[in-house]
Amino acid sequence: MNKSRLPTDWTATAVQRRTRRRYAAERRFRLMGLAAVWLSAAFLAFLLASMVWEGLSGFRQTRIALPIDFAAAKLAVTPAQLHGRGADLALAGAGLENAVDGAATHAFGPGGADLISDGAWLVVRDAVKRDPALLRGRTTIAVPVASAIDVAAKHDGTPAAEAAVARLQARGLLTTSWSGGFLTAADSTDPTRVGIWGALKGSLLTMAVTIVLAFPIGVLAALYLEEYAPRNRWTDLIEVSINNLAAVPSIIFGLLGLAVFLGTFHLPRSAPLVGGLTLALMTMPVIVITGRNAIKAVPPSIRDAALAVGASPVQVVFDHVLPLALPGILTGTIIGMARALGETAPLLMIGMRAFIAAPPSRLTDPATVLPVQIFLWSDDIDRGFVEKTSAAIIVLLVVLLAMNGLAIYLRNRFETRW
């Protein structure tokens, strides 16, 4: 024992002084911990507030009232052609897009066609398909404005765009309202027409492939390693390898998917099937590790009691141990899936950064995912994509919060206390 460190003054005053110093040190430690918590919460609140402030405008769309005289346009299309699958081609071939541009020039003066979106004629086309009687007269249809006008109407745009917005608002032609198009459309080169549904559907299909492959294989591997595998150097090597795989950078799994699934098996590029296979390789070690920890947490008395009443080793594992470990396994699985949902690097390596104008309908169709879509929009020079990027981040955060909420629900639902 180091006697030099022992206190030599045991008077009442000295003891009280040392006690006050210990209490003061404890108060400082508690204050530093509280400050760390508040600082973390402040950063999180700032992040969420900035995303919401920028992103909510992405769910809103500015429209302009466009008067169109279809009778004067003399479109070469009949009402009979507006029924069936050929209606879109018939209206496009009849010069509807030129008629819409001409109506904008006539209504708003020279340069009026630049005030409306490139997809404004698609809105007019859908209106005509719903009511072919519009072709016989004159009507006013609210169509999306150009990206520069939309940004100026909701934020600070260029001086020319703000001046145009002021003139149009003075005439009462502009309206800005919530639009569900962002949640139902796919990618586009025009920020007024883009939507997140294509990327969201690609993410859902990719996650479906990931969970179908990673969950059963990961759980069975965890059961074998914890309940059946002999304790030898080979088992130790497998455990070390799994722990190392869980710490490998995600881009390495992307290179593996590129070499194996695309280079060797020649699977379709930029498909949810390949993305799911790649993310399954990345997620499986996490599921194995969390599964083993959950299985190890089951008390040995459960196993002993089941064996005592005549259950076989397989019945002990699948009828007693696995149900009790299931809450921890599900929680770890969903957390691993949430991590996979936010990955970008491995999916970029297998080509899921392509421009996808239509949502995928099958696992082999070209697709992209939410993180990659956010990356692509953030790299675009058009200012209209800034708010769309923030809006896409809000959608991604909502999905992640839903997955974490599901993890909490499953833990509370299946948790058994003993």
Side-chain angles (χ1 to χ4, degrees):
M1 181 179 295
N2 188 359
K3 296 183 178 180
S4 62
R5 300 186 59 183
L6 294 177
T8 57
D9 189 358
W10 289 100
T11 62
T13 302
V15 171
Q16 291 176 359
R17 185 168 57 251
R18 288 193 292 269
T19 302
R20 286 195 298 269
R21 284 201 299 266
R22 288 198 299 268
Y23 287 163
E26 181 180 357
R27 286 194 297 270
R28 287 194 299 271
F29 179 77
R30 292 176 59 183
L31 288 176
M32 287 188 294
L34 185 61
V37 171
W38 278 107
L39 184 62
S40 302
F43 278 118
L44 179 60
F46 175 77
L47 173 65
L48 294 178
S50 61
M51 287 299 102
V52 172
W53 178 262
E54 290 287 342
L56 286 181
S57 59
F59 297 94
R60 302 168 66 221
Q61 188 177 62
T62 303
R63 292 176 176 263
I64 186 171
L66 177 64
I68 305 177
D69 191 350
F70 289 102
K74 297 180 180 179
L75 298 177
V77 62
T78 62
Q81 294 177 296
L82 299 181
H83 300 284
R85 297 182 178 179
D88 294 347
L89 292 177
L91 288 171
L96 180 60
E97 184 173 2
N98 293 331
V100 172
D101 291 343
T105 302
H106 182 267
F108 311 125
D114 297 332
L115 298 178
I116 62 175
S117 168
D118 293 337
W121 76 277
L122 299 175
V123 176
V124 178
R125 181 198 65 185
D126 294 338
V128 172
K129 287 169 58 178
R130 289 191 300 267
D131 185 9
L134 295 176
L135 294 175
R136 297 193 294 267
R138 177 185 176 90
T139 187
T140 299
I141 300 176
V143 299
V145 298
S147 175
I149 304 300
D150 184 53
V151 172
K154 293 184 291 187
H155 298 295
D156 51 340
T158 61
E162 291 182 351
V165 167
R167 291 195 304 268
L168 295 173
Q169 288 178 340
R171 297 171 58 183
L173 298 176
L174 291 183
T175 57
T176 302
S177 59
W178 292 97
S179 174
F182 181 76
L183 297 176
T184 58
D187 198 7
S188 174
T189 57
D190 184 2
T192 62
R193 297 171 54 195
V194 298
I196 203 64
W197 172 238
L200 179 58
K201 189 175 182 180
S203 292
L204 295 178
L205 292 176
T206 302
M207 290 298 102
V209 175
T210 302
I211 191 67
V212 167
L213 292 175
F215 181 73
I217 297 176
V219 172
L220 290 176
L223 284 173
Y224 176 78
L225 291 174
E226 196 62 35
E227 297 291 334
Y228 298 104
R231 295 294 180 259
N232 52 39
R233 60 180 181 178
W234 296 110
T235 306
D236 295 339
L237 179 61
I238 293 174
E239 292 178 358
V240 172
S241 300
I242 292 175
N243 292 331
N244 289 334
L245 284 175
V248 168
S250 59
I251 195 171
I252 304 300
F253 292 99
L255 292 172
L256 178 63
L258 177 64
V260 176
F261 302 129
L262 297 182
T264 303
F265 294 103
H266 303 289
L267 294 177
R269 191 177 183 87
S270 187
L273 176 62
V274 180
L277 290 170
T278 303
L279 293 181
L281 294 176
M282 186 189 70
T283 308
M284 202 178 305
V286 178
I287 297 178
V288 174
I289 293 173
T290 57
R292 290 193 63 188
N293 292 333
I295 294 170
K296 191 181 299 183
V298 177
S301 58
I302 300 294
R303 300 174 176 84
D304 297 337
L307 292 172
V309 297
S312 65
V314 174
Q315 290 175 324
V316 171
V317 171
F318 288 95
D319 294 342
H320 300 278
V321 175
L322 184 58
L324 293 176
L326 190 60
I329 295 175
L330 291 176
T331 301
T333 301
I334 294 176
I335 292 175
M337 294 295 295
R339 176 200 169 193
L341 178 63
E343 286 293 341
T344 303
L347 300 180
L348 291 176
M349 297 302 301
I350 61 172
M352 295 190 75
R353 58 163 298 162
F355 175 79
I356 307 298
S361 57
R362 297 177 299 176
L363 294 177
T364 55
D365 289 344
T368 187
V369 292
L370 283 172
V372 176
Q373 189 69 81
I374 293 171
F375 168 75
L376 294 176
W377 286 350
S378 65
D379 198 40
D380 200 285
I381 60 174
D382 195 319
R383 296 182 63 184
F385 281 102
V386 174
E387 61 183 17
K388 301 301 181 182
T389 301
S390 299
I393 292 175
I394 292 176
V395 175
L396 179 60
L397 289 177
V398 169
V399 175
L400 291 175
L401 289 175
M403 294 182 67
N404 284 279
L406 178 62
I408 295 173
Y409 169 77
L410 291 176
R411 171 172 288 279
N412 295 334
R413 174 68 176 80
F414 295 105
E415 188 174 18
T416 302
R417 300 185 183 276
W418 50 75

